[in-house]
Amino acid sequence: MDTLEDRLDVITIGRASVDLYGQQIGSRLEDISSFAKSVGGCPANVAIGAARLGLKSAWLGRVGDEPFGRFIREQMAREGASTEGIITDPERLTALAILAVEDDKHFPLIFYREDCADMALTEGDISEDFIARAGAVLVTGTHFSRPHTAAAQKIAMQMARRGGGKVIFDIDYRPNLWGLAGHGAGDERYIRSNVVSSRMRDVLPHCDLIVGTEEEILIGSGETDLDTALRTIRSLSSAVIVLKRGPMGCVVFDGEIPEALEDGIVGRGFPIEVYNTLGAGDAFMSGFLRGWLRGETLEVCATWANACGAFAVSRLLCSPEIPSFAELQYFLEHGSAGEALRKDAALNHIHWATTGRRREYRQLMALAIDHRTQLEELADRVGAEHGRIGAFKLLAVEAAARVADGRDGFGMLIDDKHGREALFAAGRHANLWIGRPVELPGSRPLRFEFSEDVGSRLVEWPVDHCIKALCFYHPDDPEELREAQRERLKGLHDAARSVGRELLIEIIACKSGTVDDMTVPRVLEALYAVGIRPDWWKLEPQAGASAWARIDEVIAAHDPYCRGVVLLGLDAPAEELTAAFAATAGARTVKGFAVGRTIFAGAAEKWLAGEMGDAAAIEEMAERFAGLVRAWGERGR
């Protein structure tokens, strides 16, 4: 017997693709030079959107046995959607969709869907046990365009009805995918077709919810005017009908079609700047389902749907732009300062914190080997070439990986200057968190290493690498210095958000003045005041519990989505760090540590001097790292 944990709110069936969206806005597709990648395809997008909004969802379909197919499967898992219904097709490739935004009305789109995996779905892929676990099944128009995919959707509808589930029909009409338009007409929205209308009408009597744009209502009914089309659909089906009307929101019909369409149920509308209309319908459906499947009134369902559609229209991509439920509720309560939602800092922060981060961390214990100047000075002192520093950092990766042993919550800080090979090696350990410094060592005010154009460097980084910036900042520094520091950190913060990378800001105040319980809280207040909200803080040990309590208060007041604080080591002896760990026992925000020289300094000196071999160096660093891990675990005892 199914448990509550096994139940699903909705299973979506049909298209899934990898979308490549041109990043140069206002360009022809011919002129695009770089693309953003995401999951696409109406039902796949809805599965992700529903999961973001708190529903238990699953997408049922096929992907190729290649990196793009694995990307869809992994992204579904990251989003919290079930992957049980995803079938790997060893013979076909995952579909692609490539798009440009020329202006707010023209979105040239090319579909690469010849014999693709998702269009190979068959009746044999539909499991009654799986369908029976869902409260609803969503079918989509494109999969009624081929006999085998139509048969698969129809049997899923039958299974759902036998099990007492609801059937949702997203008309999702794309003439190009029915063979009615050429390859270059991917953005064509309506071509009249009696064949398409006939197949759609066969589906309508078996549905509980029917959703479509004005053009889709026309094709679904086979009529040529909207009023007649709605009445025809009503004559065939008792389903709730949702008419999407773009910037005018939507109208919902539950029962007879009124004389004036506006007399249907109308949700609250949201004036926004149109940036890209593709994906708006999928966000709309996600919002409507969040209400409809949880028993909200149709007015609430329509309002939530309109709001989710507004988010998608105001942003570039499809599934990545659908809001989380927290973001939706914030928007409904507070609105936005402007009509371009993608420029709203408060909404963007909630969106990033609730949808953009790829993994969650209960704790983080990291071996920091991102030191450059200190290791160069050490190499000079013992007469070693700087080229050997990189080889030592590889040994540190081995030590960290040995302690982590594949477990979550472990990581490393590694630099680009000497740690290139170490970064590659660390990346081969799937669960290892990786942070990378961008600061010029010792700079005050903060400067960036290699290039002041740090944003262009970040594009080259793996998406799960975290940016780390060390800033020597004291709240009693001269105002000119503090302003320069804040300006650099704000620019870095904005660059991190622009390219979708996490940010760790390390603050060291003790090198620049005296420190008391209010020193670091004052620094955090000043940085939060200018809109700097990093994912992580890396902070020096504090004198006691009262200082940590004040730090907790500042973070809670300004950013409840902050991942937390990790402690830095400052080359302190292990005994001092153990005491510093203990002082954090009651702190809500302290999640771990990122310590370097306490772990590696002794081994580095002996290894660089030729007095220690590789195995011994790895053993010593692993032992010291493991000792700190134990001390962290025992800090509250």
Side-chain angles (χ1 to χ4, degrees):
M1 179 180 243
D2 291 339
T3 65
L4 288 175
E5 290 75 17
D6 293 327
R7 294 289 296 169
L8 295 166
D9 292 303
V10 62
I11 295 172
T12 68
I13 305 173
R15 291 189 289 133
S17 62
V18 169
D19 286 357
L20 301 175
Y21 276 41
Q23 293 178 301
Q24 290 74 53
I25 308 304
S27 294
R28 304 180 309 154
L29 189 51
E30 294 90 332
D31 300 322
I32 297 297
S33 62
S34 62
F35 295 86
K37 182 184 75 172
S38 64
V39 174
C42 167
N45 288 338
V46 173
I48 288 173
R52 287 184 169 190
L53 291 167
L55 295 177
K56 293 183 177 181
S57 67
W59 172 70
L60 195 165
R62 291 191 180 202
V63 296
D65 188 14
E66 24 77 359
F68 278 175
R70 289 189 287 276
F71 165 70
I72 291 176
R73 183 185 294 275
E74 291 171 10
Q75 189 62 26
M76 286 285 181
R78 278 190 288 266
E79 296 283 2
S82 170
T83 61
E84 293 175 77
I86 301 179
I87 300 149
T88 299
D89 188 327
E91 299 178 1
R92 296 171 180 85
L93 293 172
T94 303
L96 291 178
I98 303 178
L99 171 137
V101 178
E102 284 192 359
D103 53 41
D104 61 356
K105 296 180 180 64
H106 300 94
F107 311 96
L109 171 64
I110 299 174
F111 289 108
Y112 286 81
R113 304 190 58 82
E114 189 68 29
D115 194 30
C116 61
D118 61 350
M119 290 302 293
L121 192 73
T122 67
E123 291 180 64
D125 295 328
I126 311 299
S127 161
E128 186 150 15
D129 288 343
F130 185 52
I131 297 296
R133 286 169 46 200
V137 166
L138 181 146
V139 295
T140 48
T142 300
H143 265 47
F144 289 110
S145 67
R146 302 289 185 273
H148 56 283
T149 52
Q153 290 203 127
K154 286 178 180 178
I155 196 170
M157 294 167 67
Q158 294 166 11
M159 291 174 180
R161 285 201 165 278
R162 281 200 296 269
K166 297 182 182 297
V167 174
I168 303 154
F169 183 27
D170 190 328
I171 298 175
D172 183 38
Y173 179 48
R174 291 201 173 273
N176 179 278
L177 303 183
W178 285 79
L180 300 176
H183 292 311
D187 59 340
E188 179 65 57
R189 291 308 183 104
Y190 182 73
I191 295 177
R192 183 173 169 78
S193 168
N194 290 331
V195 171
V196 175
S197 295
S198 175
R199 294 189 191 174
M200 298 289 190
R201 282 197 301 268
D202 287 343
V203 178
L204 299 175
H206 310 290
C207 300
D208 299 286
L209 176 66
I210 298 166
V211 180
T213 62
E214 295 184 8
E215 296 87 353
E216 288 168 344
I217 294 295
L218 293 176
I219 198 69
S221 65
E223 305 293 351
T224 56
D225 72 273
L226 187 58
D227 185 73
T228 305
L230 288 166
R231 296 179 191 283
T232 295
I233 292 176
R234 175 55 73 228
S235 72
L236 295 169
S237 174
S238 61
V240 173
I241 303 170
V242 181
L243 172 65
K244 297 185 290 186
R245 308 191 76 184
M248 293 184 290
C250 70
V251 185
V252 183
F253 304 99
D254 185 18
E256 294 302 314
I257 306 300
E259 290 298 321
L261 299 186
E262 290 73 15
D263 289 338
I265 299 168
V266 179
R268 175 180 162 195
F270 302 93
I272 43 83
E273 175 195 88
V274 175
Y275 195 63
N276 177 17
T277 61
L278 270 78
D282 305 335
F284 176 98
M285 176 66 89
S286 302
F288 196 92
L289 292 183
R290 176 58 172 86
W292 193 64
L293 292 174
R294 292 293 173 87
E296 300 289 348
T297 66
L298 291 175
E299 289 88 348
V300 168
C301 297
T303 295
W304 289 1
N306 289 339
C308 289
F311 276 104
V313 166
S314 187
R315 294 168 173 169
L316 176 61
L317 304 177
C318 285
S319 61
E321 315 298 18
I322 299 174
S324 65
F325 195 64
E327 184 181 5
L328 172 63
Q329 293 303 303
Y330 181 92
F331 177 61
L332 293 172
E333 181 177 353
H334 300 282
S336 176
E339 295 186 355
L341 301 188
R342 69 188 180 281
K343 297 179 181 178
D344 187 303
L347 287 173
N348 286 342
H349 180 63
I350 299 172
H351 187 73
W352 165 255
T354 57
T355 71
R357 294 167 173 168
R358 293 170 65 87
R359 295 175 60 188
E360 292 302 319
Y361 295 91
R362 261 189 331 106
Q363 62 181 3
L364 178 59
M365 297 168 289
L367 194 167
I369 192 72
D370 58 325
H371 304 67
R372 284 87 80 204
T373 303
Q374 296 96 328
L375 283 170
E376 289 166 357
E377 292 173 349
L378 176 58
D380 292 341
R381 189 166 68 248
V382 301
E385 295 181 358
H386 287 190
R388 297 195 67 207
I389 296 173
F392 179 75
K393 294 192 178 203
L394 278 170
L395 304 182
V397 172
E398 285 297 308
R402 180 181 297 181
V403 175
D405 194 26
R407 295 174 291 171
D408 287 331
F410 290 84
M412 296 197 73
L413 284 167
I414 308 174
D415 62 291
D416 293 279
K417 184 175 183 180
H418 298 296
R420 184 170 181 269
E421 295 300 323
L423 283 166
F424 294 154
R428 290 190 281 271
H429 297 278
N431 290 339
L432 209 57
W433 176 91
I434 298 174
R436 298 166 67 169
V438 293
E439 77 278 354
L440 181 67
S443 59
R444 188 170 184 265
L446 173 66
R447 292 173 57 198
F448 298 126
E449 194 171 33
F450 304 124
S451 170
E452 291 302 308
D453 182 15
V454 69
S456 62
R457 285 181 58 204
L458 301 178
V459 174
E460 301 174 355
W461 288 19
V463 293
D464 55 354
H465 283 195
C466 179
I467 305 157
K468 170 253 177 180
L470 164 58
C471 185
F472 296 98
Y473 190 112
H474 195 283
D476 296 328
D477 285 336
E479 173 56 24
E480 184 178 356
L481 174 58
R482 284 182 282 136
E483 183 177 356
Q485 303 268 56
R486 291 193 298 268
E487 183 178 336
R488 285 297 172 88
L489 288 173
K490 183 62 166 68
L492 178 62
H493 173 274
D494 293 347
R497 292 295 167 265
S498 177
V499 299
R501 303 296 189 276
E502 291 199 23
L503 174 63
L504 178 152
I505 293 181
E506 178 177 358
I507 297 296
I508 296 180
C510 67
K511 303 289 187 182
S512 311
T514 58
V515 174
D516 58 28
D517 285 2
M518 289 304 299
T519 303
V520 172
R522 288 170 61 201
V523 174
L524 301 190
E525 287 275 11
L527 297 183
Y528 278 129
V530 295
I532 298 169
R533 287 177 284 198
D535 301 276
W536 296 95
W537 293 103
K538 186 181 178 190
L539 303 177
E540 56 207 302
Q542 301 297 299
S546 61
W548 286 118
R550 289 183 174 90
I551 289 171
D552 281 347
E553 290 169 4
V554 172
I555 293 175
H558 292 281
D559 185 13
Y561 294 104
C562 179
R563 282 197 182 276
V565 174
V566 291
L567 288 182
L568 57 90
L570 290 176
D571 199 18
E575 296 77 14
E576 288 185 19
L577 285 181
T578 298
F581 291 175
T584 71
R588 298 187 306 273
T589 54
V590 182
K591 298 297 178 64
F593 62 86
V595 172
R597 285 172 290 172
T598 305
I599 296 171
F600 73 73
E605 182 168 5
K606 287 179 281 188
W607 188 87
L608 287 170
E611 299 170 359
M612 175 181 279
D614 293 357
I618 293 170
E619 180 65 30
E620 179 173 318
M621 287 188 284
E623 184 177 338
R624 287 178 173 272
F625 187 25
L628 290 181
V629 169
R630 285 192 298 272
W632 177 256
E634 296 170 356
R635 71 193 185 284
R637 298 178 188 174

